[in-house]
Amino acid sequence: MDNQNKSKKIFLLFGLIGLGFFIFLTIMLVHVVKSRNLPSLYTKNSSKAQRGAIISADGFHVATTKKLYKAIVNTYYIDPQKKELFIQLFSIYSGVSTSEIKKRLKQKKGVVVLSYNISEQRAQYLKKLRFELKRYKVFVQRKNPRTRKTTLHGLSIIESGESREYPYGNLLTPIIGYPHKLEENGYTYIKGVKGIEKSFEDALSPRQNEISQGKRDVNGYIILNKESFTKNSINGLDIKLNIPISFQIRVEKMLDSMKKKLDANQIIIAVMNSSNGKVIALASSNRFLPKNIKRSDYPSLNSAVTEYSFEPGSVIKTITFALLLDKGLVNPYDLVNGHNGHFKIGNKVITDEHKFDWLSAENVIVHSSNIGIAQLAQKLNGIEFHDGLKEFGFSQKSTPDMIYEKVGSIPSSTKLNNQIYKATCSYGYGMRANLMQLIRAYSAFNNNGRLVTPKIVDSFIDARGNIIAVEQERQIQVIKSSTARRIKDILIKTVNKGTGKKTKTKGLIIGGKTGTAHIVEKGKYVNKYNTAFLGFSNDKQNKYTMGVIVIQPRSSQFAAATAVPVYKKIVDIMVEEGYLKPDIVK
């Protein structure tokens, strides 16, 4: 009996031990199978690449990109006892006032965006703050009522987008253009709309975002070892311009002053190196702030140097004369009848401001005689005139660096066989051109008969600092070098004895031609004018082709009183800035 009881007790004991062991194994299995919300041993980070900058010739960043971050917190996980500590620390690290933080926390419960506009530097500070908040146990674990899981959410710093910055305000507008904002997956990015920002969108756009992944340390940072992986970001290319801001600022300031003095709608200018096409100034009196465009700025958003097409007037006389001279159809010393300032071709009456009986062919240019050039132009047939204008670049794109160029128009060869069309086109009516086309055409007279293509952009710079040169356009021999030299001499004579006298500068070689043209409104010529001066300014080492267009000046209708003084002021600034060095014998 005693042995039976003893056996039962032993059996019961082993049964209890087995049951306990079974319960233990069951509990362990449940813990193994059940998700315990442990933090992953691995982490992954990503960062957006940035748009390239636009840099002046003298190294100043005129357009840059600033990355923006947003700070998010879930109020449900903030320890009420440490809420004030969180507010104070976040304010110190972010630069956001405590009153603003309290206001945002009060407005909404749950997920709250404390700031959308955190700079990259501040974002780095706040990422460090996250670990301080963890150390001070500012955030507590809570059970999610929906999932029934215990979780912990702290402070999140997330890339929210980018902002395009223009440190020098309206400088170089509208040439550099402006961007607009687009959104993709909650990230705001920049895309060019006009000007350089649009023309070089592909070059400026970021190439590749940064991605890093691998095992993490206790603070959440990736441990860089053989197992980790990093794909570096590749930002967009920086663009280096040929325009120095030191010169551009002075020119723009002068244009602002002259616009008021001449009571003009707008003044546009261009200065280009005649040998290599580098544009060192391209300015308008009508500018805007790219980050704060107002309705009143809308007319100024277009770059008038390439997007304002107009009848150029008497500056075309030089082109017409060059075509005649190059084909041997005129001798500069030929005598031309001035008809005492009044001449009729068909039913078209042509007049001159200054009356002449007779004048030499070259003096037709010097004294800007409509009657003289109208008669000389009859020696060209329609095909010669049309093709000649086209070879000089009219009705064609003047530069690859600007977008949305209005290339203007020239009469067909059939129309130019007509005496009247031939006459009016010879002095710049019945055709349309923009300032950049005129600059390109006039470069031939200062470059041995070769046209150079205006270049605003000098080069591209990648993230490693490598310079990628812009492909140079081939120079086109449009007239013989002997023709170019003779036209150059005539333009110098025009400055010394003709309509461009006020541009004369001691010690410099300056030549050029004035132009005045009526403006067409609703298909009719009205009593409004555009005035122009196109020419060159040289010293012993430097050669520049330059142009000024004054749009609707009300102080005077004559180029000599409007465009010429602006040109002279540009020359004076170039001397002061060292771009031109007068050869003055002491």
Side-chain angles (χ1 to χ4, degrees):
M1 192 66 147
D2 288 338
N3 287 334
Q4 285 181 347
N5 288 336
K6 189 174 182 180
S7 296
K8 287 179 180 178
K9 287 179 181 178
I10 291 170
F11 180 77
L12 182 62
L13 177 62
F14 275 104
L16 290 171
I17 291 171
L19 179 62
F21 187 66
F22 175 76
I23 292 169
F24 172 75
L25 287 177
T26 303
I27 292 169
M28 291 299 294
L29 181 63
V30 168
H31 274 275
V32 170
V33 174
K34 184 181 178 184
S35 173
R36 289 181 290 162
N37 299 315
L38 290 174
S40 173
L41 295 174
Y42 292 85
T43 188
K44 181 178 180 180
N45 294 328
S46 64
S47 179
K48 298 280 188 183
Q50 291 184 221
R51 185 177 180 84
I54 300 174
I55 306 169
S56 69
D58 43 0
F60 294 93
H61 286 62
V62 294
T64 60
T65 297
K66 181 175 76 174
K67 192 174 283 189
L68 299 177
Y69 296 77
K70 60 183 175 183
I72 301 172
V73 69
N74 192 326
T75 60
Y76 184 65
Y77 295 91
I78 299 176
D79 185 341
Q81 301 299 319
K82 296 177 180 177
K83 184 176 179 181
E84 189 60 34
L85 174 63
F86 169 76
I87 292 170
Q88 293 297 328
L89 287 174
F90 185 84
S91 177
I92 292 168
Y93 279 75
S94 68
V96 180
S97 67
T98 55
S99 60
E100 179 63 24
I101 299 167
K102 288 176 181 178
K103 179 183 174 183
R104 288 183 176 272
L105 293 175
K106 190 176 181 180
Q107 282 176 341
K108 185 183 176 184
K109 300 296 180 184
V111 178
V112 176
V113 179
L114 296 172
S115 177
Y116 285 97
N117 193 26
I118 294 172
S119 68
E120 193 164 7
Q121 186 179 39
R122 292 281 186 182
Q124 297 306 316
Y125 295 157
L126 289 169
K127 286 177 181 178
K128 292 178 182 177
L129 175 62
R130 285 190 306 189
F131 301 110
E132 294 299 313
L133 296 174
K134 183 179 179 182
R135 188 162 65 88
Y136 285 113
K137 297 182 179 178
V138 170
F139 298 102
V140 294
Q141 290 188 340
R142 302 283 189 190
K143 185 174 282 188
N144 190 312
R146 188 165 54 84
T147 63
R148 311 302 298 172
K149 293 179 181 180
T150 301
T151 55
L152 175 65
H153 289 286
L155 177 65
S156 298
I157 309 301
I158 302 169
E159 287 183 352
S160 61
E162 55 191 42
S163 172
R164 197 65 165 164
E165 302 297 311
Y166 297 89
Y168 298 93
N170 66 8
L171 183 76
L172 265 168
T173 59
I175 306 305
I176 56 172
Y178 63 94
H180 67 170
K181 294 180 180 180
L182 298 171
E183 191 170 311
E184 185 178 291
N185 299 324
Y187 186 85
T188 301
Y189 65 96
I190 298 300
K191 202 170 181 69
V193 178
K194 295 282 286 185
I196 299 294
E197 294 276 24
K198 176 65 176 177
S199 299
F200 293 90
E201 177 63 32
D202 289 343
L204 289 165
S205 294
R207 301 290 193 275
Q208 175 179 285
N209 296 328
E210 180 182 305
I211 298 175
S212 302
Q213 59 186 36
K215 284 186 176 180
R216 67 176 186 84
D217 61 18
V218 292
N219 288 324
Y221 292 116
I222 293 173
I223 300 170
L224 298 176
N225 55 27
K226 291 180 180 179
E227 296 178 14
S228 64
F229 166 77
T230 299
K231 184 170 74 172
N232 292 325
S233 65
I234 303 176
N235 293 333
L237 298 174
D238 291 342
I239 291 178
K240 183 81 175 283
L241 304 179
N242 287 314
I243 302 171
I245 70 166
S246 55
F247 181 38
Q248 182 78 12
I249 286 172
R250 292 197 64 184
V251 171
E252 287 185 358
K253 188 175 180 181
M254 179 272 293
L255 292 185
D256 294 343
S257 172
M258 290 302 290
K259 179 188 174 183
K260 291 179 182 177
K261 184 176 180 179
L262 302 176
D263 194 14
N265 283 6
Q266 187 177 6
I267 305 175
I268 51 176
I269 70 96
V271 180
M272 180 183 76
N273 186 303
S274 304
S275 302
N276 55 31
K278 290 187 176 184
V279 177
I280 66 165
L282 202 58
S284 168
S285 60
N286 296 14
R287 302 183 300 281
F288 58 89
L289 294 169
K291 284 181 68 70
N292 186 28
I293 295 172
K294 301 172 182 175
R295 185 176 292 275
S296 59
D297 293 324
Y298 289 177
S300 304
L301 299 181
N302 294 335
S303 181
V305 292
T306 54
E307 294 183 64
Y308 180 68
S309 177
F310 58 98
E311 290 184 305
S314 293
V315 292
I316 293 297
K317 289 173 184 170
T318 314
I319 309 296
T320 305
F321 195 84
L323 294 175
L324 289 160
L325 191 61
D326 202 57
K327 294 180 186 300
L329 298 175
V330 68
N331 184 304
Y333 301 118
D334 288 344
L335 285 178
V336 180
N337 193 338
H339 294 281
N340 202 28
H342 192 275
F343 181 62
K344 192 172 184 180
I345 294 181
N347 60 357
K348 173 72 176 176
V349 176
I350 300 172
T351 59
D352 276 335
E353 188 67 33
H354 303 287
K355 297 176 182 180
F356 297 98
D357 288 329
W358 293 89
L359 69 169
S360 68
E362 71 173 28
N363 280 344
V364 166
I365 303 301
V366 174
H367 298 293
S368 198
S369 170
N370 294 336
I371 292 170
I373 199 68
Q375 292 175 91
L376 290 173
Q378 303 305 318
K379 297 180 180 184
L380 291 165
N381 65 44
I383 293 175
E384 288 173 330
F385 202 177
H386 175 271
D387 290 355
L389 290 172
K390 200 155 190 176
E391 285 170 8
F392 264 98
F394 296 106
S395 76
Q396 299 171 72
K397 195 168 170 60
S398 63
T399 173
D401 292 354
M402 296 299 288
I403 199 165
Y404 306 132
E405 179 170 356
K406 291 184 178 177
V407 298
S409 60
I410 54 177
S412 68
S413 55
T414 303
K415 282 186 175 180
L416 287 173
N417 270 325
N418 178 281
Q419 281 188 319
I420 296 174
Y421 272 107
K422 198 179 294 182
T424 55
C425 190
S426 72
Y427 51 82
Y429 280 86
M431 64 172 288
R432 300 185 77 83
N434 63 53
L435 173 57
M436 200 68 99
Q437 289 173 324
L438 292 167
I439 286 286
R440 185 168 183 249
Y442 265 70
S443 70
F445 308 136
N446 204 30
N447 191 41
N448 295 313
R450 296 190 303 272
L451 289 184
V452 293
T453 298
K455 296 298 295 179
I456 302 165
V457 171
D458 174 71
S459 57
F460 303 109
I461 305 169
D462 67 17
R464 295 180 179 179
N466 298 317
I467 297 173
I468 305 161
V470 172
E471 186 178 347
Q472 295 299 311
E473 300 283 331
R474 183 176 63 88
Q475 296 188 6
I476 301 168
Q477 191 78 42
V478 66
I479 51 175
K480 294 187 283 288
S481 59
S482 58
T483 304
R485 285 194 296 272
R486 193 55 194 261
I487 295 293
K488 187 174 182 178
D489 289 340
I490 293 171
L491 291 175
I492 292 170
K493 185 178 178 182
T494 303
V495 165
N496 290 335
K497 297 183 178 181
T499 55
K501 287 178 184 176
K502 291 180 182 177
T503 63
K504 284 177 68 173
T505 303
K506 192 174 181 181
L508 296 178
I509 301 166
I510 295 178
K513 179 74 188 75
T514 52
T516 300
H518 278 275
I519 291 173
V520 175
E521 289 183 357
K522 297 179 181 179
K524 293 182 180 180
Y525 287 106
V526 295
N527 195 30
K528 296 176 183 178
Y529 300 86
N530 289 332
T531 65
F533 190 83
L534 269 292
F536 53 84
S537 302
N538 303 341
D539 60 19
K540 283 189 172 181
Q541 276 131 2
N542 303 292
K543 301 189 302 180
Y544 297 99
T545 304
M546 299 165 54
V548 174
I549 308 295
V550 182
I551 300 172
Q552 293 189 40
R554 283 167 278 277
S555 63
S556 172
Q557 70 182 59
F558 298 110
T562 53
V564 167
V566 174
Y567 188 100
K568 178 65 168 79
K569 285 182 179 293
I570 297 170
V571 171
D572 291 344
I573 294 171
M574 292 177 75
V575 171
E576 291 167 12
E577 292 289 326
Y579 293 98
L580 289 170
K581 296 173 182 176
D583 182 25
I584 300 173
V585 180
K586 295 182 180 179

